[in-house]
Amino acid sequence: MPTQSTSKQLWRDVQVFDGLVQLSEAMTVLVEDGRIAGLWPAREFNEARAEGAACAGRGGVLTPGLVDCHTHLVYAGNRAGEFEQRLEGVSYEEIARAGGGILSSVRATRAASEDELIAASLPRLDALLADGVTTVEIKSGYGLTVADELKMLRVARRLGELRPVRVITTLLGAHALPPEYAGRADDYVSLVCDEMIPAAAAEGLADAVDVFCEGIGFSPAQCERIYQAAKAHGLAIKAHAEQLSNLGGSALAARYGALSADHIEYLDEAGVRAMAEAGTVAVLLPGAFHVLRETQLPPIELLRQYGVPMAVASDANPGTSPICMPTLMANLACTLFRLTPREALSGMTAQAARALGRLDLGRIEVGAPADLCLWDIQQPAELAYAVQAGRLRQRVFNGEVVYAR
Ligand code: NIG
Ligand code: FE
């Protein structure tokens, strides 16, 4: 329930994780007109600054609202049957080549109306919000016709109107080859370049364009055509790359100035260097790694050495990561990929925002939009250490307390 009563609010005696680091002492944070207006060590705070301000919260840990920078939240149906098949030893790629996997979600999503997709997706969005998300990226990619891809993007935008959350949308027309284009992948890529991207851009439905650069997805040459079309329409670029094999998709994306390359388990040093040079963010998706029972680890140490920013996201989707709990992703990023809790939390705030090209989000700093989470914990690292729902005391969106308990 929204509980905002004044445009000037204070959080007192909070431990602050500012998106990059934990501040060393308890802080006082002032929010005015939807933005962070001041940030002081609590003992130095001058009460005159608080004139007319209501105390909105005291104690606990204050972080930026979480940014889930890679999700496939909009889809119909589910793939629990495939989960069982994989546990019996059938691989993700085998299921995909047999017409299941992404294409199974495509059949269900094509058959669903916008309202049905909203109804299916809202509980997933609500789960993300209950775990502290204030910005979520949502991809298309289960439509694979112009009309169905636009339908998914419209649903994504509508979700952002139904709930207090920022929704960033990404066109992922090149997610899989639809059956009607079997044997004609280049023709399908032409459809993506000549019709989907222009239509999504014209209707303002997409902020970015993504591709699945993989043996069961699209070749680097096909992805490059899509990047050229995206650039021509002024859209940002992202990649699902090096998830199951190393095709050089991340380096290609970096050459086109991609905001991020995501998954990257099979990324090599040349790819890391290309990303470092381009400032492309490495989006780590430990949920997909966990669910697929992957063993090839992303090159975390190389990413650190080259100074590539690392983000962490849920990849919430019906196949490889049916998980709508970003704080669990922080835990998995630490336990599976050996990120430090600080890196994991930064990966879900400041670095995730960078992966969306939103340098104004994911930070607690003066002037930034006041998207905040107040947690009932003592130290920020606890968010990555313990897996426990219900620790969120307040979620603040644009300076408004939109959830309080
Ligand atoms: O991020 N790798 C490709 N795309 C998704 C999975 C989509 C699906 O299996 O439905 C991913 O893992
Ligand atoms: Fe994905």
Side-chain angles (χ1 to χ4, degrees):
M1 285 293 110
T3 59
Q4 187 200 27
S5 53
T6 165
S7 69
K8 208 170 170 187
Q9 300 171 93
L10 278 178
W11 278 264
R12 291 177 178 274
D13 298 320
V14 286
Q15 297 294 326
V16 170
F17 178 80
D18 73 359
L20 295 174
V21 294
Q22 173 180 1
L23 305 186
S24 58
E25 49 188 321
M27 305 292 288
T28 300
V29 178
L30 176 68
V31 168
E32 210 170 338
D33 297 329
R35 291 189 176 265
I36 296 164
L39 180 66
W40 304 269
R43 58 186 172 75
E44 287 171 21
F45 180 62
N46 176 357
E47 293 295 333
R49 283 294 274 121
E51 182 107 32
C55 181
R58 187 185 288 274
V61 168
L62 193 72
T63 69
L66 303 186
V67 177
D68 196 348
C69 68
H70 179 143
T71 85
H72 309 249
L73 210 65
V74 172
Y75 60 85
N78 75 73
R79 312 224 301 266
E82 286 178 13
F83 178 61
E84 291 195 45
Q85 273 182 283
R86 286 205 306 276
L87 294 176
E88 283 159 13
V90 190
S91 76
Y92 181 68
E93 279 153 299
E94 285 164 342
I95 292 170
R97 292 192 196 284
I102 293 170
L103 291 182
S104 137
S105 296
V106 168
R107 287 188 286 276
T109 304
R110 282 181 176 178
S113 67
E114 274 188 36
D115 287 344
E116 285 164 344
L117 286 173
I118 292 274
S121 308
L122 261 183
R124 295 190 280 266
L125 178 61
D126 285 337
L128 295 183
L129 303 192
D131 205 38
V133 167
T134 52
T135 297
V136 60
E137 184 257 20
I138 301 179
K139 301 177 194 296
S140 65
Y142 296 120
L144 312 186
T145 66
V146 177
D148 289 306
E149 287 292 298
L150 296 187
K151 172 177 79 177
M152 287 188 71
L153 293 171
R154 239 176 260 121
V155 167
R157 288 270 197 248
R158 272 179 64 194
L159 288 171
E161 289 157 14
L162 291 168
R163 293 291 186 269
V165 63
R166 294 175 211 281
V167 171
I168 312 272
T169 56
T170 300
L171 174 69
L172 179 54
H175 197 194
L177 187 66
E180 62 275 17
Y181 278 87
R184 296 189 296 130
D186 285 326
D187 292 345
Y188 180 67
V189 171
S190 297
L191 178 78
V192 174
C193 294
D194 302 341
E195 297 186 40
M196 268 181 209
I197 290 174
E203 292 192 40
L205 283 172
D207 301 306
V209 171
D210 197 346
V211 298
F212 186 22
C213 186
E214 191 59 68
I216 55 168
F218 295 86
S219 71
Q222 291 165 339
C223 294
E224 183 158 13
R225 287 177 58 202
I226 290 168
Y227 288 160
Q228 284 166 353
K231 288 227 121 168
H233 286 85
L235 297 174
I237 282 167
K238 301 173 88 62
H240 282 70
E242 274 72 73
Q243 180 186 14
L244 308 167
S245 62
N246 181 6
L247 297 185
S250 305
L252 170 72
R255 271 210 306 286
Y256 277 83
L259 288 175
S260 71
D262 305 29
H263 286 290
I264 60 165
E265 278 86 347
Y266 287 81
L267 184 67
D268 60 14
E269 185 161 0
V272 173
R273 192 180 308 117
M275 289 174 66
E277 282 163 8
T280 298
V281 177
V283 177
L284 304 171
L285 304 171
F289 180 94
H290 162 69
V291 170
L292 292 182
R293 304 176 71 245
E294 257 293 349
T295 52
Q296 172 82 26
L297 286 162
I300 302 299
E301 202 43 54
L302 279 175
L303 294 167
R304 284 192 186 114
Q305 274 171 30
Y306 280 85
V308 175
M310 293 185 284
V312 175
S314 73
D315 196 14
N317 78 70
T320 64
S321 189
I323 306 177
C324 297
M325 191 178 190
T327 55
L328 171 60
M329 296 301 145
N331 175 271
L332 293 178
C334 296
T335 53
L336 299 176
F337 297 166
R338 303 240 178 143
L339 262 62
T340 64
R342 188 199 64 74
E343 284 173 325
L345 295 182
S346 194
M348 294 175 46
T349 52
Q351 308 300 13
R354 176 182 294 268
L356 297 176
R358 290 295 304 263
L359 299 181
D360 57 327
L361 300 177
R363 297 292 314 274
I364 297 183
E365 62 182 0
V366 173
D371 291 358
L372 303 166
C373 288
L374 185 63
W375 306 89
D376 279 325
I377 53 177
Q378 309 295 312
Q379 297 296 321
E382 289 174 53
L383 284 179
Y385 149 76
V387 180
Q388 187 179 332
R391 294 174 294 179
L392 185 66
R393 197 196 309 168
Q394 289 177 349
R395 196 173 69 93
V396 182
F397 181 66
N398 264 332
E400 198 175 323
V401 179
V402 289
Y403 167 81
R405 151 177 84 65

